Amino acid sequence: MIRPATAEDAAEIAALYHDIRKDSVPLVHSVHDVAVWIRDVLVIRGTSHVLDLDGVIGWLDVRDGWVDQLYIRRGRTGQGHGKVLLDMAKEAFPTGLRLYTF
């Protein structure tokens, strides 16, 4: 089920974010700091959604047509979960999405 991210999800999303990013970019912020940013900024502005299948397995933050964050839990990739989240974003922004990647 895709649902809006809540403050209660922030720690779980931050752990997912940290786990995926540690393999590709230097980690600058602690898991705690990321959780605070998610809780106090992203959740409040209402741009984050999670794919919740007995726990958060995916996270999407999309704002003004920009996909700012898209992460799928290890071991759950290649199963269409990212597509489900992107399809939701496409519905919300039918004129198109933009994405910047590293």
Side-chain angles (χ1 to χ4, degrees):
M1 160 180 79
I2 297 175
R3 61 174 175 75
T6 66
E8 291 76 24
D9 297 318
E12 190 172 2
I13 296 168
L16 167 64
Y17 173 91
H18 243 251
D19 181 53
I20 301 302
R21 288 181 58 101
K22 72 182 179 188
D23 293 340
S24 57
V25 296
L27 296 174
V28 176
H29 304 286
S30 69
V31 173
H32 171 77
D33 289 345
V34 172
V36 169
W37 166 66
I38 291 166
R39 184 193 68 216
D40 294 351
V41 177
L42 303 184
V43 168
I44 289 172
R45 76 179 186 197
T47 57
S48 277
H49 290 78
V50 294
L51 180 58
D52 187 344
L53 302 174
D54 296 323
V56 173
I57 66 160
W59 171 43
L60 170 76
D61 189 81
V62 61
R63 180 179 181 198
D64 300 330
W66 279 96
V67 176
D68 286 338
Q69 312 292 331
L70 176 60
Y71 296 93
I72 303 298
R73 187 170 301 288
R74 289 179 193 276
R76 301 303 297 257
T77 60
Q79 300 172 22
H81 300 307
K83 181 184 181 322
V84 168
L85 287 167
L86 283 175
D87 285 348
M88 185 215 66
K90 288 183 208 177
E91 234 177 79
F93 296 95
T95 58
L97 292 172
R98 295 176 287 176
L99 171 68
Y100 176 82
T101 65
F102 293 102

